[in-house]
Amino acid sequence: MPQQVTRLAVVFGILILALVLARSQLVPKTFGQAGHYRAAAVTEIAAAKIHYAGHEACAACHEDIAKTRSAGRHRNVACEVCHGPAADHVAAPTDVHPSAPKQRGRCPQCHGYDSARPTGFPQIDPVTHNPVRPCISCHQPHAPETPREPEACGACHGSIARTHAVSAHALIGCTRCHETDRRHKTTPLLIRPSKPASRAFCAGCHARDAGSPKEIPRVDVTTHGERYVCWQCHYPHFPEAK
Amino acid sequence: MDPRFQTLQEVLQQVKGYIYPNEVELHWGLLVVVYPYLTGLVAGAFILASLERVFNVREVQPTYRLSLLTALAFLIVAPLPLLAHLGHPLRSFEIFLTPNLRSAMAMFGFVYAWYLMVVLLLEIWFDYRQDLVLWSRRESGPRKWLHRLLTLGATDLSEASLRFDRNAGKLITLIGIPSAFLLHGYVGFIFGSVKANPWWSSVLIPVVFLFSAIVSGIALVLLLYMFTSLVRRVEIDMTCADKLSSLLLYALIVDFSLEVLDFIHRLYESEESIKILSQMISAKLFLSLVVLQALLGTVVPILLLGLLSPAFRSRGLVEVPDELRRWAYVGAAVLIQIGIFSTRWNVVIGGQLFSKSLRGLTVYKMELTGLEGFFVSAALLILPFVVLYFLIKVLPPWQEGETAAQAGLAEVA
C-alpha cells in the first residue's frame, strides 16, 4: 500500500467521520420520518397556542353583528381580519378586549388602488378619497355601503379605466360598449353589464361602409382577421393597430 | 416618498406592455450572473489542464499547474455569490446534513463537494507532492512547516512512489473531465429545466453552457499566463501561447455553432413566446446580446484568432511578428471574457425581463451598494485573483520550480 493512499485515507476518513458525527448530532431525531422535514415539527406546531377563534365563534355572543355582516358586502371578510386574533377574548370576554381598526390606515390595505386586484373590486385612492375623516364615519364597517352610488366605472374597474383613458378608444364611454343597468353599481356580482358579442359590433364603426365619422380607421371586415372575433387580436380597451 | 417606492416608480416607468405585478422586480440579480460565470471559469480551466494530462498536448505544459490553481481559486469563490444572494450562509450546510435527492439545486452541493475534494484538491496534491517534500526539506521557518503539513506526511520519494503519483494523477484527470462537465453542465441544467420559462427551457442550454465555459477558461488561463510571465519578467513561450489560442479558437467555433443552432431552432420552432423574446432582444438586450456577446465577444475574436493563430496550418493565415500576435491574443481573450460575462447576463437577467403573460417587458435596475449591488459583485470577481495570488505563493506553479525540484531530487539521489 503506497504511503499516499494511507495518508489520504486518514484525511478522508476524518472528513467522513466528521460528516457522520455532524449528522448524528445536528440532524433532528425525527427528520425524514414522514418526508423531507422534521416530523416532530407537526406536533410542535399543533401544540402551538391558538390565536384565532374563527368567525363562527363570534356569532354565539355577537349575534346582531354577525347577522348584519352576513347580509352585507363584507360577508366574506372574517371578523378577526379586522379585529385581530380574538381567541383570548372568546375565553374571557370581559377581561380581554379586541381592538377595532377605527383609523383610516387599515381599510386601504384591501381597498387601496392596486392594479393586481381582481376586476370589479371596490378600490379607492386613500390620499384623495374624502381625506382625513375616518372611513367608518361614512361606511358602516360590518355592512359597508357607499353613501351614494359611484359615478365612475373606474371606481371598481380602475385598471381598465386607466388603460382605456389613454387609448384610441378614450372618447368612447364604457356604456357605449357595455349596456349597464344602474343596479350593477350596487350589486355588481348579480347584475352584470352586457359585453360585445360579435364582430358586427366593432364593424358598426370600423367597417368600410359604416356610417360613423370619417376619421375612424376602416378595415375590410370580410377579410380582416375573418376567423376570429376582433378582441382576440385587439384589446378593446387599448386597441393597437400592430 | 419611501425610497423603495421611488425605485419601483422609476422601474414602472420603463415597464412596457402588460406584466404581472410580481414580475416588475427581478429576483435573480447581478450576483446570480456572477455565479455561473465563476463556475464556468473553473470548469474551463480544469478542462484545459486535462488536455495536457490526458491527451498529452505537450505545448500547453507551461500552463498546466497554473490552470489547476486557477480552477481551485475560482472554485473556492464560486459559492460565495450564491451565499450572499440567499443570506443565512450557515444554513448552506443543511444540504449536506439532510440531502434532498429530489432537488437538483440541493444535489449540486454534492457535485461541488465531489469536484473540490475528490477531483481538484487530489489532483493538485498528487501533482505537487514531490515538490512539497523537496521544498519542505530545503526551506526553513513557517514555509517549511506549511509545506510539510501539506504533504500530509507522505514523504516517500522512491521511484515507485513517484510513479504512483503520476498514475493516480492521470486517473483523477480521467474522472475529472466528466466531473468538470457535470459541474458546469449542471448549472445549465438548472436553468434548462425551468419548464415555465421559454428563454431558459431548452435541452441545448447545458451543452451551450459547457462550451462557453471551456472558452472562458482557456481565455482566462491564456491571459493569466501572459500576465504572470510579464510580471515575472520571463520570456513568453510562443508555442504555448499559439497552441492555447488555437484551442481557444476551436472551442469558440463549437460554442458559436451551438448558440447559432439554438437560435435557429428557436426561430424554426417559433413558439408563442417568439414575439416577446425578439422584442426583448431588440429592446432590452441589444447591447449585451448582439453587440457584446455575439459581435465583440464571439465574431471579432474568431476573426482575430482565425487570422493570426496557427490553428489551421503551422503558421497563421496572416503572418505577423510575435509581439503583435501576443497583443492580438490578449485582445481576443479580454473580448471573450466580456462576451462570456454578457452570455451569463443574457441568460440570467434576460430570462426574467419578459412577462409570463408574454405581453410585456420589465427592466433590471442594478444597484451600486448593498449585498446585491455592483460593488459586492465586483469584489467577488476580484477575490479569486487574490486567492490565486496566495495559492501561487504557497504552491509556485512555474516550471523553474519543477526543474529546481528535479535538481534537488538528483541531489537527494
Side-chain angles (χ1 to χ4, degrees):
Chain A
M1 184 72 80
Q3 202 182 18
Q4 294 96 311
V5 175
T6 48
R7 301 294 166 143
L8 284 177
V10 170
V11 172
F12 275 86
I14 291 173
L15 284 176
I16 290 170
L17 204 71
L19 182 70
V20 171
L21 219 76
R23 266 186 64 92
S24 74
Q25 289 307 305
L26 297 178
V27 177
K29 287 281 160 306
T30 57
F31 184 90
Q33 279 175 3
H36 198 76
Y37 60 89
R38 191 165 55 91
V42 178
T43 40
E44 266 170 44
I45 294 166
K49 184 172 161 9
I50 290 177
H51 296 283
Y52 287 89
H55 68 98
E56 295 93 344
C58 318
C61 303
H62 300 289
E63 208 178 333
D64 46 342
I65 291 177
K67 218 181 235 149
T68 321
R69 191 193 60 129
S70 61
R73 294 282 299 282
H74 272 171
R75 72 182 86 84
N76 288 327
V77 183
C79 315
E80 287 162 298
V81 167
C82 295
H83 289 291
D88 287 347
H89 167 68
V90 172
T94 42
D95 300 341
V96 185
H97 289 175
S99 64
K102 295 182 187 171
Q103 288 75 30
R104 284 177 66 92
R106 185 64 155 279
C107 315
Q109 284 180 348
C110 288
H111 290 289
Y113 176 73
D114 181 344
S115 62
R117 297 204 201 283
T119 177
F121 188 82
Q123 296 170 61
I124 48 117
D125 177 353
V127 179
T128 57
H129 181 77
N130 302 307
V132 183
R133 295 176 58 185
C135 313
I136 52 172
S137 65
C138 299
H139 305 287
Q140 221 281 46
H142 298 131
E145 264 172 35
T146 51
R148 56 186 153 80
E149 84 187 23
E151 284 130 35
C153 313
C156 304
H157 299 291
S159 177
I160 292 176
R162 272 157 227 244
T163 317
H164 171 256
V166 295
S167 76
H169 277 167
L171 295 178
I172 307 170
C174 308
T175 45
R176 174 72 177 76
C177 300
H178 302 288
E179 264 175 57
T180 313
D181 190 306
R182 284 197 76 80
R183 285 171 299 163
H184 174 62
K185 294 187 181 176
T186 44
T187 48
L189 292 175
L190 294 178
I191 312 280
R192 295 197 173 221
S194 72
K195 288 192 288 187
S198 69
R199 293 166 52 86
F201 178 82
C202 310
C205 286
H206 286 294
R208 293 247 184 270
D209 52 357
S212 55
K214 278 202 306 295
E215 331 63 270
I216 296 181
R218 306 302 167 114
V219 290
D220 185 348
V221 204
T222 46
T223 55
H224 181 81
E226 71 283 5
R227 281 189 288 132
Y228 307 92
V229 284
C230 313
W231 44 92
Q232 271 170 296
C233 299
H234 304 287
Y235 184 51
H237 309 128
F238 195 86
E240 285 174 296
K242 268 195 281 182
Chain B
M1 206 193 294
D2 186 320
R4 279 176 309 166
F5 288 123
Q6 189 86 46
T7 16
L8 185 64
Q9 204 190 8
E10 279 167 29
V11 170
L12 277 176
Q13 278 163 7
Q14 296 183 48
V15 164
K16 288 177 48 172
Y18 179 81
I19 69 170
Y20 296 122
N22 61 347
E23 292 171 333
V24 177
E25 212 179 335
L26 268 61
H27 301 284
W28 287 357
L30 192 56
L31 284 176
V32 184
V33 177
V34 170
Y35 167 70
Y37 178 65
L38 290 181
T39 45
L41 291 172
V42 176
F46 182 83
I47 288 168
L48 177 63
S50 320
L51 278 180
E52 194 273 330
R53 191 96 191 210
V54 178
F55 303 109
N56 242 335
V57 185
R58 283 259 140 254
E59 294 91 329
V60 299
Q61 164 75 31
T63 62
Y64 172 64
R65 286 182 160 188
L66 185 62
S67 335
L68 284 183
L69 294 188
T70 308
L72 182 59
F74 278 81
L75 189 67
I76 291 172
V77 178
L80 297 187
L82 285 191
L83 294 185
H85 170 71
L86 293 171
H88 303 288
L90 285 180
R91 286 190 197 164
S92 63
F93 297 106
E94 295 286 337
I95 60 179
F96 297 110
L97 295 182
T98 55
N100 184 352
L101 300 177
R102 295 197 300 175
S103 156
M105 281 198 189
M107 288 321 286
F108 188 69
F110 287 88
V111 174
Y112 177 88
W114 162 269
Y115 190 74
L116 176 70
M117 299 302 300
V118 179
V119 176
L120 251 190
L121 285 182
L122 274 193
E123 169 141 0
I124 292 177
W125 188 73
F126 276 116
D127 192 60
Y128 271 96
R129 195 183 66 87
Q130 177 189 356
D131 289 358
L132 285 172
V133 174
L134 294 176
W135 286 332
S136 70
R137 282 186 195 161
R138 270 189 288 128
E139 288 160 347
S140 58
R143 283 184 73 86
K144 178 188 183 77
W145 289 106
L146 181 61
H147 283 147
R148 172 168 279 185
L149 184 72
L150 288 178
T151 62
L152 303 176
T155 51
D156 182 2
L157 287 190
S158 66
E159 187 49 45
S161 152
L162 291 182
R163 196 165 50 242
F164 182 80
D165 281 351
R166 278 194 296 278
N167 291 339
K170 201 152 203 164
L171 179 72
I172 292 165
T173 318
L174 276 180
I175 304 170
I177 294 178
S179 306
F181 276 47
L182 189 63
L183 181 79
H184 203 64
Y186 212 107
V187 180
F189 176 90
I190 285 175
F191 283 104
S193 51
V194 180
K195 276 187 282 198
N197 190 319
W199 186 243
W200 290 338
S201 174
S202 152
V203 273
L204 266 181
I205 281 242
V207 191
V208 173
F209 259 57
L210 197 59
F211 274 90
S212 58
I214 296 176
V215 170
S216 67
I218 300 179
L220 179 71
V221 173
L222 179 65
L223 279 176
L224 280 172
Y225 175 61
M226 301 253 197
F227 178 74
T228 49
S229 301
L230 199 72
V231 172
R232 298 186 311 126
R233 298 174 187 287
V234 298
E235 183 89 18
I236 292 176
D237 179 350
M238 266 328 261
T239 45
C240 172
D242 281 339
K243 190 72 197 176
L244 279 180
S245 60
S246 317
L247 291 174
L248 186 55
L249 178 64
Y250 304 145
L252 199 54
I253 290 174
V254 177
D255 180 38
F256 189 50
S257 327
L258 283 170
E259 303 229 9
V260 172
L261 181 63
D262 187 42
F263 184 69
I264 295 174
H265 183 237
R266 279 171 194 274
L267 277 186
Y268 187 71
E269 260 190 338
S270 195
E271 288 185 3
E272 57 268 54
S273 58
I274 189 83
K275 245 177 116 171
I276 190 74
L277 294 186
S278 61
Q279 269 181 37
M280 176 173 80
I281 291 175
S282 54
K284 304 280 176 189
L285 296 182
F286 190 80
L287 181 71
S288 63
L289 199 142
V290 180
V291 178
L292 288 181
Q293 179 183 338
L295 210 64
L296 290 181
T298 315
V299 175
V300 173
I302 285 186
L303 289 180
L304 261 181
L305 295 175
L307 289 178
L308 301 183
S309 79
F312 303 114
R313 30 176 225 170
S314 57
R315 286 167 284 117
L317 294 177
V318 178
E319 268 186 83
V320 292
D322 283 3
E323 183 64 22
L324 189 61
R325 218 160 63 239
R326 277 200 287 274
W327 280 112
Y329 292 163
V330 169
V334 169
L335 283 179
I336 285 173
Q337 290 306 332
I338 297 174
I340 300 287
F341 190 82
S342 311
T343 312
R344 309 293 182 239
W345 173 280
N346 294 329
V347 170
V348 175
I349 302 293
Q352 303 168 80
L353 285 182
F354 61 93
S355 164
K356 295 283 184 303
S357 70
L358 306 182
R359 272 170 56 191
L361 298 169
T362 181
V363 283
Y364 174 53
K365 258 199 145 29
M366 187 165 66
E367 290 162 9
L368 274 186
T369 54
L371 209 50
E372 298 265 343
F374 170 81
F375 290 119
V376 171
S377 297
L380 285 173
L381 285 177
I382 294 171
L383 189 58
F385 295 101
V386 179
V387 176
L388 182 61
Y389 173 82
F390 285 110
L391 285 178
I392 288 178
K393 280 277 158 236
V394 176
L395 303 169
W398 322 121
Q399 273 178 316
E400 298 92 89
E402 277 174 56
T403 32
Q406 243 106 51
L409 190 63
E411 260 169 53
V412 175

